[in-house]
Amino acid sequence: MSKEPVLKAENLNVYYGSIHAIKGVSFEVYEGEIVTLIGANGAGKSTTLNTVSGILRSRTGSVTFLGENLRRVPCHKIVARGLALVPEGRRIFLQMTVEENLEMGAFTQSPAGIAQDLEQVYALFPRLRERRKQIGGTLSGGEQQMLAMGRALMSHPKLLMLDEPSMGLAPILVEQIFQIIRNLHGAGSTILLVEQNAQAALSIANRGYVLETGKVVTTGAGQELLASPEIKKAYLGG
Amino acid sequence: MKKSPFHFLTYVLVIGAYAALQVLQARGGLSSSLRGMLVPICAYVVMAVSLNLTVGVLGELSLGHAGFMSVGAFLGTSTAIALQDAVPVPAVRLTIALIVAALFAAIAGFLIGIPVLRLNGDYLAIVTLAFGEIIKAIFNNLYLGVDGKGVHISLLEDTTRTAETGRLIIQGPMGIGGIQKISTFTAGFILIMISLIVIFNLVNSRAGRAIMAIRDNHIAAQSVGVNIIKYKMMAFVTSAALAGSAGALFAMNYSTVVANKFDFNTSILILVFVVLGGLGNMLGSIIAAAVLTILPEALRPIAEYRMLLYAVLLIVMMLTANHPFVRAFFNRFRQTGRLRLEADGDEEREAV
Ligand SMILES: Nc1ncnc2c1ncn2[C@@H]1O[C@H](COP(=O)(O)OP(=O)(O)OP(=O)(O)O)[C@@H](O)[C@H]1O
Ligand SMILES: [Mg+2]
């Protein structure tokens, strides 16, 4: 891995007022990888993703994306740079139709390519094509998650960040969502995946970082972490 | 997003109402009290549709819309008075005054927006509430004179030393007196049309989609790369500017204007128009503003109970609008609209 990483986060320290939520976190994501951040509730996973996407700012260190330091890049311009976040909790536009949601995903893109991009997303999520004209708020949880992911793909991300895509979904849907992530990866996407479902996340990830109360405590290849007795004990229920 | 057929209908109804009222007026079919209300109705309609842009389309609560009206009323009218000799044609003077009023109200909106629109939550409601009161206090204590040497301003006491040849325009708590009534029904109609064109074009544009996306889910909007502050600002400043010109139109329909006219009650009254007319529904705002401006005149005997009546109406509306039965009733309309389209398609297929 002599190449430059797509994303490099160095020594992030993020505060909510006086709460020190992220304490010196560093990690990298290389092209074509799935990297996962795992950890318990409140470990700081979402805070880390939100810092990378510019919603929150780190007091120290830096976030470098495709060789550019993002310190001075405002949040709304980061999407256009090719960094897309699917936020936690299926944040879709509840009053818009499925297609309008997807079109909003292309907000930073020129309108010329939208029709073609829609086709690609529909090919990936046939369910969304069926529900094209349905109002977002009336979709099931799994469909909403697919919509949130499809919407992010509309911006042609060079790095796709997913914040707990499996949250609150039935096992069969979790399986579907992970299959889609695998497909995206197979098609060449670079993915940063945040999960509480450590088992599922580690089994598809090239590498993983384990967060505990705002710090990276362990890092390694996905399979390696999956086999580690400590990780098993703490996150895999046995 | 498709253009709403509602927009077209709104234009048609406004033009139709204007034409009908003009014909009636020409035939002497309007009572003098109603004739006197034509300009205020236009001003309130513009106030209502502009507030609906902030409350209904952007989804932020503003409790000080009368503050922008006040800024426009005082600065627009002052401009008209200062230009009385330089610009003898009333229509031109009025146009300049309305533009100046819109500009100053826009600046006020921008200044408020800078700190507040960064925050999520009900901050805008609180700050606009304070803004309305502060503006009232300022114009109640402001002295503004114009003479050969330029503009003189003082607060609390008249220390402007405006020359005899000049004129003290804003006189503290007495406001502005001796205004030439250059506002006309036609000017009001044109201002309504301009407001509608501005708002509908904004709503149909890319910026409008961004604004509605923010209303729908600001985290999702942020995640697709919408510049939240910029688009919130765009909606809020546009709303303020339109309110400013409505204020100037309103003021120049009377011979005097005082700051207390644009108080918290006025802000709430306009909010009532918007809520009764329906959030995001411009035609509803227009009808509510017109009807509720005429109604108290018609109900003069019980005028004292007007605010009570509005409060009761609002509560009744909220209760009924949320009642499962009423919701189901309206939903059925919506769905039958959609279902009917699909059913038609099926029939065609069968026919073939
Ligand atoms: N807006 C906020 N204000 C104050 N503290 C916050 C805020 N958001 C998060 N925190 C705190 O920061 C810490 C990290 O939270 P974060 O949401 O990043 O955790 P997480 O790993 O994503 O957890 P989960 O798996 O539950 O989503 C927690 O202690 C949390 O209470
Ligand atoms: Mg989280």
Side-chain angles (χ1 to χ4, degrees), chain A residues 55 75-76 79 85 87 90-97 100 103-109 133 135 151, chain B residues 1-2 206-207 209-210 212-228 231 338:
Chain A
I55 297 167
C75 173
H76 63 271
V79 179
L85 169 67
R90 304 178 208 125
R91 307 290 185 153
I92 63 162
F93 301 112
L94 295 171
Q95 296 173 31
M96 298 186 190
T97 65
E100 286 165 351
E103 283 166 3
M104 273 314 293
F107 189 73
T108 54
Q109 305 292 306
K133 299 280 174 234
I135 299 293
R151 192 182 59 202
Chain B
M1 235 156 291
K2 299 107 225 148
R206 185 179 122 91
R209 283 198 302 277
M212 287 183 283
I214 295 170
R215 173 189 68 189
D216 200 339
N217 191 325
H218 73 269
I219 293 175
Q222 202 168 27
S223 82
V224 298
V226 169
N227 184 346
I228 307 256
Y231 290 109
R338 278 175 192 238

Side-chain angles (χ1 to χ4, degrees), chain A residues 20 24 40 53 62 68 81 93 102 164 183 185-186 196 210 223 225:
Chain A
H20 193 175
S53 58
S62 63
E68 181 188 17
R81 297 279 204 281
F93 301 112
L102 293 175
E164 293 199 38
N183 293 348
H185 181 231
Q196 274 196 54
V210 181
Q223 297 303 324
L225 292 176

Side-chain angles (χ1 to χ4, degrees), chain A residues 71-138:
Chain A
R71 169 160 290 275
R72 302 232 156 266
V73 183
C75 173
H76 63 271
K77 289 198 175 142
I78 286 180
V79 179
R81 297 279 204 281
L83 190 55
L85 169 67
V86 180
E88 188 175 65
R90 304 178 208 125
R91 307 290 185 153
I92 63 162
F93 301 112
L94 295 171
Q95 296 173 31
M96 298 186 190
T97 65
V98 166
E99 191 145 308
E100 286 165 351
N101 263 277
L102 293 175
E103 283 166 3
M104 273 314 293
F107 189 73
T108 54
Q109 305 292 306
S110 89
I114 289 186
Q116 201 184 339
D117 295 344
L118 273 176
E119 273 313 305
Q120 276 182 9
V121 169
Y122 286 145
L124 206 58
F125 302 96
R127 180 67 73 86
L128 294 183
R129 190 200 299 275
E130 288 166 27
R131 314 256 148 169
R132 225 166 50 226
K133 299 280 174 234
Q134 193 169 326
I135 299 293
T138 63

Side-chain angles (χ1 to χ4, degrees), chain A residues 10 14 82 126 137 142-143 152 168-169 195 218:
Chain A
E10 269 185 298
V14 184
E143 291 162 350
L169 297 184
E195 264 299 337
T218 319

Side-chain angles (χ1 to χ4, degrees), chain A residues 11-238:
Chain A
N11 189 28
L12 302 182
N13 278 288
V14 184
Y15 294 77
Y16 292 104
S18 63
I19 301 170
H20 193 175
I22 296 290
K23 303 162 187 156
V25 166
S26 302
F27 62 93
E28 289 103 62
V29 182
Y30 289 87
E31 193 175 346
E33 275 191 318
I34 298 185
V35 171
T36 182
L37 302 181
I38 57 174
N41 284 117
K45 306 180 297 293
S46 301
T47 307
T48 306
L49 285 199
N50 287 338
T51 307
V52 170
S53 58
I55 297 167
L56 298 169
R57 295 282 164 175
S58 174
R59 285 206 191 159
T60 60
S62 63
V63 175
T64 311
F65 180 64
L66 298 172
E68 181 188 17
N69 188 336
L70 296 183
R71 169 160 290 275
R72 302 232 156 266
V73 183
C75 173
H76 63 271
K77 289 198 175 142
I78 286 180
V79 179
R81 297 279 204 281
L83 190 55
L85 169 67
V86 180
E88 188 175 65
R90 304 178 208 125
R91 307 290 185 153
I92 63 162
F93 301 112
L94 295 171
Q95 296 173 31
M96 298 186 190
T97 65
V98 166
E99 191 145 308
E100 286 165 351
N101 263 277
L102 293 175
E103 283 166 3
M104 273 314 293
F107 189 73
T108 54
Q109 305 292 306
S110 89
I114 289 186
Q116 201 184 339
D117 295 344
L118 273 176
E119 273 313 305
Q120 276 182 9
V121 169
Y122 286 145
L124 206 58
F125 302 96
R127 180 67 73 86
L128 294 183
R129 190 200 299 275
E130 288 166 27
R131 314 256 148 169
R132 225 166 50 226
K133 299 280 174 234
Q134 193 169 326
I135 299 293
T138 63
L139 294 176
S140 77
E143 291 162 350
Q144 292 193 6
Q145 185 60 50
M146 291 179 197
L147 181 54
M149 289 170 68
R151 192 182 59 202
L153 291 173
M154 292 293 289
S155 69
H156 294 274
K158 299 191 180 85
L159 172 63
L160 180 64
M161 302 193 289
L162 302 167
D163 195 345
E164 293 199 38
S166 74
M167 187 164 84
L169 297 184
I172 182 148
L173 279 170
V174 174
E175 182 45 46
Q176 263 187 39
I177 295 284
F178 275 88
Q179 186 56 48
I180 289 165
I181 297 173
R182 243 180 261 132
N183 293 348
L184 285 172
H185 181 231
S189 292
T190 309
I191 293 165
L192 177 56
L193 172 66
V194 155
E195 264 299 337
Q196 274 196 54
N197 188 340
Q199 171 82 47
L202 287 173
S203 56
I204 64 165
N206 300 95
R207 291 186 304 113
Y209 293 81
V210 181
L211 277 177
E212 248 171 50
T213 56
K215 286 187 192 138
V216 174
V217 290
T218 319
T219 171
Q223 297 303 324
E224 210 176 282
L225 292 176
L226 208 49
S228 139
E230 281 160 48
I231 303 291
K232 265 201 184 131
K233 192 151 168 269
Y235 300 102
L236 306 176

